[in-house]
Amino acid sequence: MRDNQTTVRGAVQSPLQPGIARPDAMRLAADEYARVADAVAALAPGDWDRPTECTEWTVHQLVSHVVGMAAMAASPFESRRQMRIAATRPGGEAEMVDALTALQVREFSRYTPAELVAKIADIGPKAAKGRRRTPGFLRRRPMGDQQVINGVAETWALGFLIDVILTRDPWMHRIDLSRATGRPLALTADHDGRIVDDVVREWAARHGKPYRLTLTGPAGGTWATPDADGETFELDAIEFCRAVSGRGTTPAPFGTQVPF
């Protein structure tokens, strides 16, 4: 269990930059692709048609999205292709991100479970390499589309997407797979705990209030501002991340969400 102090800030910076040092972010990316590949490989034939907490997706469709997003990160050509198609909103989606994920599900769901197992094992290392090779001048650029978080439109640096969101996304979907199938969720302090730490620090920056937060489990720890009068929260580390991502029934502490 870590014991950390965080500094209260009034708001996140704009454009939003990664809160994790680049070498650490790239280590987490490579490790997460390996872990999600292991989780997909462990699925039984009867797991693939199970519903998930991404309510419109089965396990098969969720894995298709994960593979499609990794393929996008692995290849600039594939990234441009997917973005170009999604920009036309072929399914009538209002938001670009919804159009993109819907495209990935449509295209990659045509693969069998065995093919998807092989694809994520092959594409994951390539996706990590593609993200690692993105030059600094591109990562510092603001993204074109704004994202609405906690009811406020905000601008992200491309590096926040590449270094942070593209790791949080398969990480949260690995949790979704475990919950959908009942299969064990591999958690360690040096990997999952580091992802949780970054989520907590961003959450703290977003609400800007004094607090004390205790998260239990292998990925947990204790975080607090110097002000002892802050509100106190205690819950499981994974449930905290599910809450701030908008999943489940547990309310996000301070009502503050964090993008995944």
Side-chain angles (χ1 to χ4, degrees):
M1 296 278 286
R2 290 176 302 279
D3 195 353
N4 305 290
Q5 280 197 342
T6 56
T7 301
V8 174
R9 292 184 291 175
V12 295
Q13 58 192 358
S14 184
L16 185 57
Q17 303 285 342
I20 304 178
R22 178 107 172 122
D24 198 12
M26 293 301 95
R27 174 186 65 81
L28 292 171
D31 289 351
E32 186 53 40
Y33 285 127
R35 291 187 181 211
V36 80
D38 288 345
V40 172
L43 295 173
D47 289 335
W48 289 82
D49 290 327
R50 294 183 186 274
T52 71
E53 290 177 321
C54 300
T55 55
E56 296 183 357
W57 293 350
T58 63
V59 166
H60 193 143
Q61 290 168 316
L62 185 149
V63 173
S64 298
H65 156 64
V66 171
V67 173
M69 190 65 81
M72 189 177 178
S75 164
F77 172 81
E78 176 66 10
S79 178
R80 288 192 294 270
R81 187 192 71 82
Q82 288 192 29
M83 294 294 287
R84 183 177 66 252
I85 297 172
T88 68
R89 310 292 201 275
E93 297 86 0
E95 301 293 334
M96 179 67 173
V97 66
D98 294 334
L100 184 63
T101 54
L103 171 69
Q104 292 161 351
V105 170
R106 285 196 302 270
E107 292 196 342
F108 287 87
S109 286
R110 70 176 184 268
Y111 293 109
T112 67
E115 289 171 329
L116 288 172
V117 168
K119 280 188 174 294
I120 191 59
D122 176 63
I123 292 173
K126 296 175 182 176
K129 181 178 180 180
R131 290 166 59 185
R132 189 170 62 248
R133 295 177 66 178
T134 306
F137 77 91
L138 284 180
R139 290 187 294 106
R140 289 188 293 270
R141 285 185 180 177
M143 292 174 55
D145 292 339
Q146 287 192 310
Q147 312 299 316
V148 178
I149 310 296
N150 299 306
V152 178
E154 61 185 34
T155 300
W156 295 354
L158 184 60
F160 181 71
L161 173 68
I162 293 171
D163 290 8
V164 176
I165 296 297
L166 292 185
T167 297
R168 286 182 187 171
D169 182 70
W171 182 75
M172 184 57 75
H173 287 318
R174 182 160 58 89
I175 296 168
D176 293 333
L177 286 178
S178 174
R179 293 177 63 85
T181 64
R183 297 192 174 277
L185 177 63
L187 295 172
T188 60
D190 65 331
H191 177 73
D192 307 273
R194 184 68 188 87
I195 293 172
V196 171
D197 178 74
D198 182 55
V199 172
V200 171
R201 291 175 184 278
E202 185 180 327
W203 165 81
R206 286 180 176 278
H207 64 68
K209 300 174 183 177
Y211 74 96
R212 182 173 182 84
L213 174 69
T214 299
L215 300 181
T216 59
T222 300
W223 293 259
T225 52
D227 189 334
D229 294 330
E231 192 166 349
T232 297
F233 304 94
E234 182 172 352
L235 65 164
D236 175 78
I238 300 305
E239 286 307 306
F240 169 81
C241 290
R242 293 183 69 248
V244 300
S245 76
R247 282 165 164 77
T249 58
T250 301
F254 289 128
T256 301
Q257 293 192 350
V258 175
F260 277 79

